[in-house]
Amino acid sequence: MRTRSSTFVALLLFLGPATVFPQIPFQALALGANAQLVALLLTADIAVTLVLAPFMGALSDRFGCRAVVLCGLATAPIAFWLLSQADSLPLMFASRLLMGVSLAVRPALQTYAVAEIQTGKLSLTPGLRIEPFVVDGSRMVSAVVEESSGAAIVV
């Protein structure tokens, strides 16, 4: 059971923001943002992650990786909900900043996963292989690029 829960945690923290990222500029433009504000909005979470990641590492040393990862998981749904309810640009910025807090726990999650693998509590079984998704994704990107530009990319 621990293998499945650790995999699910990793999927939430790594893939969750990627699912809402494409719609953020459209939502911001609908709220009256200009190009500079959209750029700031898209990079807000990355800036917060850059600043907070070392502090999250120190917190994981003090309180344990598991506690820090759980706090990150707790902030992610709140950030997604806040973004879905945002009817103003400040609220969108708040949700993106909160998402940055959630993403700052990535190093703690990686440390937790490595520790679980080394102790034998987490095994990398064939069910966790990611190569088929990467190959299929690269073929899909290749097809889109070929359709739009006429240039073929061999995968």
Side-chain angles (χ1 to χ4, degrees):
M1 183 65 182
R2 181 170 231 147
T3 303
R4 289 184 186 153
S5 64
S6 298
T7 305
F8 185 66
V9 167
L11 283 174
L12 278 179
L13 285 178
F14 293 131
L15 296 179
T19 60
V20 297
F21 193 78
Q23 63 92 21
I24 291 172
F26 299 108
Q27 185 178 1
L29 289 173
L31 293 173
N34 58 18
Q36 290 82 14
L37 281 177
V38 170
L40 283 174
L41 190 61
L42 291 175
T43 58
D45 63 332
I46 299 166
V48 171
T49 301
L50 181 68
V51 171
L52 288 184
F55 297 113
M56 292 297 181
L59 285 174
S60 70
D61 290 341
R62 183 176 174 113
F63 300 109
C65 291
R66 193 172 187 189
V68 173
V69 169
L70 287 174
C71 287
L73 270 181
T75 60
I78 297 169
F80 286 135
W81 178 81
L82 196 60
L83 183 63
S84 73
Q85 301 299 316
D87 57 354
S88 66
L89 288 173
L91 205 54
M92 283 189 75
F93 272 107
S95 71
R96 296 298 291 164
L97 295 175
L98 191 58
M99 183 51 67
V101 173
S102 177
L103 294 176
V105 302
R106 282 182 179 182
L109 176 64
Q110 291 166 345
T111 303
Y112 179 69
V114 168
E116 294 287 304
I117 290 168
Q118 288 176 344
T119 59
K121 294 178 183 174
L122 177 67
S123 62
L124 295 177
T125 61
L128 296 177
R129 289 182 51 213
I130 193 166
E131 295 101 12
F133 299 110
V134 173
V135 171
D136 290 342
S138 64
R139 285 186 184 147
M140 186 171 42
V141 169
S142 171
V144 169
V145 169
E146 185 176 348
E147 274 294 317
S148 64
S149 68
I153 299 175
V154 178
V155 181

